[in-house]
Each structure stands twice: as structure tokens, then as C-alpha cells.
Amino acid sequence: MTGRRAVARTDPVSDPPSAPRTSLFKKYFRALFAAVALPLLIASASETWFGYHDQRARLNDRLDAEARLAAVKIQDFIEGIREQLGWTVQLPWTENIDDRQRLDALRLLRQVPAVASLTLVDATGKERLFVSRIGLNRIEGGDDYSTKPAFLGARSERAWFGPVTFQGGSEPFMTVAVAGNRSAVGVAIAEINLKFIWEVISAIRVGRTGEAFVLDGPGRLVAHPDISLVLRAEEAAQQPLEGLRDAIIERAGQSATGRDTTRTTVVAAMAQIPGLDWSVIVKQPLSEAFQPIYAALWRTGGLLIAGTALAALLAYWLAQRMTGPIRLLEDGVARIGAGQFDHRINLATGDEFERLATRFNEMAGELAISQERSERISRLRRFLAPQVAELVDRTGDDSVLDGRRVEVVVVFCDLRGFTAFSAQSEPETVMAVLGEYFGALEKVVSAHEATLLSFTGDGAMVLVNAPVSCPDPAMRAVTMASDMQMSVQKLLVGWRALGHRLGFGVGLAMGPATVGRIGSEGRLDYAAIGNVTNLAARLCASADDSEILIDRSAASAVGSAVPLVELDARLLKGFNQPVPVFAVVIGVGQ
């Protein structure tokens, strides 16, 4: 039977993509540039917008005024002719023509060049006198005008203006009829050559090249500075001008833009001539009309470019001024974070950056002190209890480590059968056992505020009442030794289950010793020298598993506070006489 093994495949978990990061310089540059450039751009745009509308309003008012003025001048021209015609019909008619009427008619032709011919009609509509510049004069011609529009219009309105006609298809003429004050006087009918309006129109100028022209009701060109346009009377050529008038009418009398006969874009305004169905239109090329706006736009554009460049330079300078100290702070913090506590950030900006740099420098100094303190505590903890090391570092007084003669309790302990165990076991196993063993000892020694002087092989040396004195050192040492036995015996249960034949013995002695720092400049240790040290070591060597042996001095100091069993005096190595030995009863089975 063949089985298949399912292999689970796991894809490596990919880190989430990090958000794109922008440098602080770019952020500050954009923000500062926008803070300067945007208001400038908005101000320029609003100034241009309002300037355009103001200029358009001024242009509209100016063109409208020019158009009205031109309409008034043409009206004055026509009214002047009408008044002159009125003088010719002041005298009543007799059966025969009066020489004074004939002379008045001839005088009118001489005084008013625009009048091409004059016809005087009596009250019945009969022609009595006709004078002309190009035709033959006649008296009592007798033609009947009673049904003609000129006679009827003058009779009903006192003055009648006929439509524009083009004689010979080129020259514009208009008929004007004026009735006398009395019905018996008659009517004067004159043909007016409108070419003479050219002098009025050509005199009107708007700016350098702006001009005016006149259209009649149907849109035919009546007067224009270029008189050839009028004389040709070409509808196709005049059509743009009619379109320009229509554009003005659509804007309800406001100025409008369009194209003239030369296809030039112009802006124009219009005014009506009272009494005539004529329109006076004043136009000006758009480029010339808006030249002030264009000049203002160029100035605004130049100022905008200059302002934008200045804003960019200012934003760059300010961003550099802000990010430069930040980079210096970043580099300084990185150095301090890397452990260079002697590094100092030098900033002289006189603002928050300088104060921040000062705080970082103070922090670096405090970190240097803290590191030095930590290293000093670490060195002290090699041979002092952590509480003692902290005390020495906190008070800054290490005089307690100086050499002196003092009564101490020395405690030695080691494992039974360790030599055979280490010879038969793997190095990893040996190191694991020692790690658990020394950890348990260190924990007990620290709890009783004793001084752990050294670990040697499987043994340890502990000092009580030095370098810092404590009350009842013997009792503290015996209690500590009991706790050590209890802690290690718990470990031995597990080790023995693994087949390791180990035990643990403790020996302690009390007596005077010389304690203090000992060693060279490069290596210092705290040590206790004296007979009491040798005695404690020999008692430890003599102790069996789970046994705590103490000397007479320690036993006397403890008294009845701890159950003791006096053993037979033992002959210990290095001592000439048997040494009294006492065992501490701790109630822990072998």
C-alpha cells in the first residue's frame, strides 16, 4: 500500500508595502511656496479679472459717449438743413413768382452745399420754382406734388425725411421736405447729397484708429470715413457692418465685439439719430481698445513670474533653514543612539531648534553618566550583592571597599560527586547543570543581601557582614545556608532522576578577616583573607550531601535560635588540632 505524504507549503509572509515617504524639505518647500505663490496668483488673477471688467465698462461708456456725440453732430447737420429750408417757405405765394423767393432759393444752394436741388411747392401741391446745381432751373413748372409722400409728410409733420436712395447706384441722397408756418405758404422739397456727412463722420476718432459710420434702417451704409465704401454701395462688403449692428442690438445697447469690413476684430457701440431711422456706430479695434489691459497683463505676468521666483527662493531658503537643523539633530541623535554619549549637537539658531539641541546634549550627558553608573554597578555586582552595589553607586562612597580588619562569616558550598559527573557527561549537560545551580545560589545570596565573592568550578564563596555590616551576621549566614540547601536539594531531585549522582554540602565559619579590594589596576576583586576563610573551606569539604557544618564561633553566635547538633571534633587539613564542628538541623532528607 502506497501512501502519499501531504506537504504543506507556506509562502513567506511579505511585509506590507511601506507608504511612500516624502522628505521634510519637499513638504516645507511646497507648503511655503504655496503660502506665498497662491495668494500672489489669486491676487493677480482677481486684479486681472476686475481690471478687465473695469476697462470694459470704461470702454463701453467711452464708445457710447462717442456714438451719442456723433449722432448729435449728424442731427445738427440735418437740422441745419431743415432750418435753412424753413426760411424759403416764409412768404405766401402770389399769382406770379416773387423775385425774393427765387433769390432765397439760390442763396440756399450757395449756403448749403449739401442741397443738390430745391423745389418750392405752393399750398395746392403745384410746383412753382425749381433750382438745381446740375439741372436747368424752371419757374412755374406746374408739376403736381399733392399726392407725393414728401408733400403729404411735410403737411402733416411740418418736416419729412425720406429714405436714402443711391443715384447712379453710388451716391447717397435723401429727400427732405419742410412745410411753412402757414398753410398758404407751401412746402420746400430738397434733395440732400449725403456725401457731405463724410466731413462729420471722418472727424470722429476713438483712440488712434477708431472711427464711426452710419447705417440706415435697412442696413445700407450712409456715411463712412472710407467714402469709397459708400459710393460702391456693395451689399456684400457692407454686410459685416450690418452684422456688427445686430450684435449691438442683441446686447441691449451695450458695446459688442465683431468684425468690420477689413475682417478686423473690433468693439463697437451704437446710438440712434433722433428723427431718422439711422444708426451711428463707433468702433475701435479690439487690440487697441484692450491695449491697457494687455499692458497690465504683461506687467502682472512679469510681476507674477518675479514673485513666483522670489517665492521659490524664499521657500527654498526657509525650508533649508528649517530642515538643516533637523538634519543636524537627526545625525546627532543617531550618534547618541549609537552610544557616542560624548557627541554634542552644536546649533546656534536662537530658537526652538537650539533649545531642542540643548536638551539632547543634556540627555547625552545624562546617558553617559547612566552608562558609567551601569558599568560601575556591573563591576560591583561581580563581588557584591546587588543591594550593596546599588548602595555604593547611589552614595558614591566606595570607602566600604577599602581594606580593613572585621569579623565576618564566610560561607563555602559545592557539589558532591561533581568531578565524576563532569568526566562522564557531555559538556552541554555539565554547563546546563551549572547554570541551574549557580542561578539558584545567586538568587538566595541576593535575597539575604550577602556578598557573592566568586564561583570556582562547582563551588561558591559568600561573605556576610562585609563590606557592609549587618546585624547578627551569624544568624543571617546560617539562614542563608539553609535556604541554599533547600533550593539546591530541589534541583538534585530532578538531576538524580536523570541519573546524575550529585550532592550538595555547605560549610561556614565566623571570625576576624582582612577584607577589601585586591588585584591590579586592570583587574580588581573583593576578597577576604584570614584563617576564617580556610576554616570555612575545610568545613565545606568535610560536609556531606544536604549537610551544613559550622564552627564554634558561629554556633555560639547563633545559640539556641537554630537547632544544632555538635559533632565530633574533626582534624581538618591545615589545622594542627581537631576543630569542634556543629551541624545545622534543617529537616531535609538525604
Side-chain angles (χ1 to χ4, degrees):
M1 181 177 180
T2 303
R4 294 184 179 179
R5 175 181 295 178
V7 180
R9 297 184 60 187
T10 57
D11 295 332
V13 179
S14 59
D15 295 334
S18 59
R21 303 177 67 181
T22 305
S23 66
L24 192 61
F25 174 82
K26 291 182 179 179
K27 291 182 180 178
Y28 276 124
F29 179 82
R30 291 171 183 171
L32 294 172
F33 179 78
V36 178
L38 284 181
L40 183 62
L41 181 62
I42 293 172
S44 300
S46 61
E47 182 67 23
T48 302
W49 173 262
F50 290 115
Y52 168 79
H53 283 275
D54 291 344
Q55 178 65 18
R56 188 64 185 261
R58 289 193 296 268
L59 180 63
N60 183 78
D61 294 341
R62 181 182 178 187
L63 292 176
D64 184 70
E66 292 289 346
R68 292 179 183 277
L69 179 60
V72 170
K73 289 182 179 180
I74 295 175
Q75 183 184 15
D76 290 343
F77 174 79
I78 298 298
E79 285 294 323
I81 295 175
R82 186 188 66 79
E83 291 179 359
Q84 292 292 335
L85 290 176
W87 286 105
T88 63
V89 287
Q90 296 297 319
L91 297 175
W93 293 100
T94 59
E95 293 183 2
N96 296 319
I97 191 69
D98 193 337
D99 287 338
R100 286 183 302 173
Q101 292 172 326
R102 185 172 61 83
L103 292 176
D104 288 340
L106 294 175
R107 188 181 302 110
L108 175 66
L109 293 181
R110 185 172 62 252
Q111 292 179 351
V112 185
V115 177
S117 65
L118 175 63
T119 302
L120 298 179
V121 180
D122 62 15
T124 63
K126 180 180 179 181
E127 178 187 310
R128 302 296 300 272
L129 177 65
F130 174 80
V131 292
S132 173
R133 294 183 184 277
I134 57 176
L136 296 176
N137 298 335
R138 59 179 178 269
I139 299 175
E140 301 292 347
D143 291 341
D144 186 9
Y145 281 82
S146 61
T147 60
K148 292 185 178 182
F151 180 82
L152 296 175
R155 278 296 187 181
S156 62
E157 301 292 338
R158 292 289 306 276
W160 179 84
F161 301 96
V164 178
T165 59
F166 288 85
Q167 294 184 7
S170 61
E171 293 189 28
F173 280 81
M174 181 180 70
T175 301
V176 177
V178 177
N181 294 329
R182 292 172 294 176
S183 59
V185 174
V187 177
I189 302 173
E191 292 292 329
I192 308 300
N193 191 340
L194 298 180
K195 289 193 301 181
F196 289 90
I197 302 179
W198 176 84
E199 295 180 357
V200 178
I201 291 298
S202 61
I204 299 174
R205 287 293 176 186
V206 180
R208 298 192 313 272
T209 59
E211 56 191 14
F213 60 91
V214 180
L215 296 178
D216 66 357
R220 294 174 297 180
L221 190 61
V222 176
H224 193 279
D226 185 2
I227 196 171
S228 63
L229 291 176
V230 180
L231 298 180
R232 288 199 304 267
E234 296 178 359
E235 293 185 4
Q238 298 176 6
Q239 189 173 3
L241 302 180
E242 186 177 356
L244 189 60
R245 183 182 68 173
D246 294 340
I248 299 174
I249 294 174
E250 289 179 0
R251 291 181 56 86
Q254 297 291 321
S255 62
T257 56
R259 295 183 181 274
D260 62 3
T261 56
T262 62
R263 312 305 296 173
T264 301
T265 302
V266 297
V267 58
M270 182 182 70
Q272 296 291 334
I273 299 177
L276 298 175
D277 189 17
W278 290 3
S279 302
V280 178
I281 299 175
V282 177
K283 63 184 179 70
Q284 186 178 16
L286 189 65
S287 58
E288 179 182 342
F290 286 165
Q291 186 176 5
I293 296 180
Y294 297 150
L297 285 176
W298 280 109
R299 289 193 301 269
T300 302
L303 291 175
L304 182 60
I305 293 174
T308 304
L310 180 62
L313 291 176
L314 181 61
Y316 180 84
W317 178 73
L318 288 175
Q320 280 287 89
R321 185 175 176 84
M322 297 181 70
T323 58
I326 292 176
R327 293 193 188 99
L328 193 59
L329 287 170
E330 182 183 13
D331 178 69
V333 171
R335 289 173 179 265
I336 294 172
Q340 300 181 21
F341 300 134
D342 58 342
H343 179 72
R344 294 295 179 267
I345 304 173
N346 296 320
L347 275 179
T349 57
D351 52 18
E352 287 79 0
F353 286 123
E354 183 176 352
R355 290 196 291 272
L356 183 59
T358 302
R359 297 295 181 269
F360 277 124
N361 292 335
E362 292 174 354
M363 180 188 69
E366 293 174 358
L367 287 175
I369 295 173
S370 178
Q371 183 187 42
E372 181 181 357
R373 177 175 177 268
S374 177
E375 292 176 352
R376 184 167 62 250
I377 292 176
S378 297
R379 290 193 300 269
L380 293 174
R381 280 182 174 177
R382 290 183 302 174
F383 51 84
L384 296 178
Q387 297 87 342
V388 178
E390 293 285 351
L391 175 63
V392 172
D393 179 74
R394 186 170 60 252
T395 60
D397 182 13
D398 58 355
S399 61
V400 294
L401 304 179
D402 294 340
R404 53 180 174 158
R405 189 76 172 173
V406 66
E407 186 174 41
V408 297
V409 179
V410 180
V411 181
F412 276 88
C413 62
D414 61 8
L415 293 173
R416 307 282 91 94
F418 181 78
T419 302
F421 163 73
S422 61
Q424 297 173 2
S425 302
E426 295 294 332
E428 293 80 3
T429 303
V430 175
M431 297 305 294
V433 168
L434 288 178
E436 291 181 311
Y437 167 61
F438 289 135
L441 292 182
E442 185 176 7
K443 184 176 180 181
V444 174
V445 172
S446 297
H448 290 275
E449 297 184 357
T451 301
L452 180 61
L453 295 184
S454 64
F455 288 122
T456 305
D458 62 320
M461 178 182 177
V462 181
L463 196 61
V464 180
N465 205 41
V468 179
S469 61
C470 63
D472 201 1
M475 187 63 193
R476 178 175 296 195
V478 172
T479 304
M480 179 184 68
S482 299
D483 291 343
M484 292 168 68
Q485 271 292 358
M486 295 176 64
S487 296
V488 176
Q489 289 300 324
K490 292 179 181 179
L491 296 176
L492 289 174
V493 174
W495 294 341
R496 287 168 183 164
L498 297 175
H500 306 321
R501 300 178 61 84
L502 296 173
F504 179 66
V506 181
L508 65 86
M510 181 176 180
T514 300
V515 296
R517 287 173 291 197
I518 188 172
S520 62
E521 182 178 355
R523 172 70 179 180
L524 290 175
D525 285 321
Y526 190 79
I529 301 174
N531 186 58
V532 67
T533 302
N534 296 330
L535 179 57
R538 297 296 179 259
L539 290 174
C540 177
S542 180
D544 294 330
D545 178 35
S546 73
E547 195 173 37
I548 302 173
L549 300 182
I550 65 175
D551 69 339
R552 183 185 295 278
S553 298
S556 299
V558 171
S560 61
V562 176
L564 299 175
V565 175
E566 184 176 0
L567 304 178
D568 295 336
R570 298 183 183 185
L571 187 60
L572 302 178
K573 184 179 178 181
F575 293 87
N576 295 329
Q577 300 295 329
V579 177
V581 178
F582 296 83
V584 179
V585 180
I586 58 176
V588 180
Q590 297 281 337

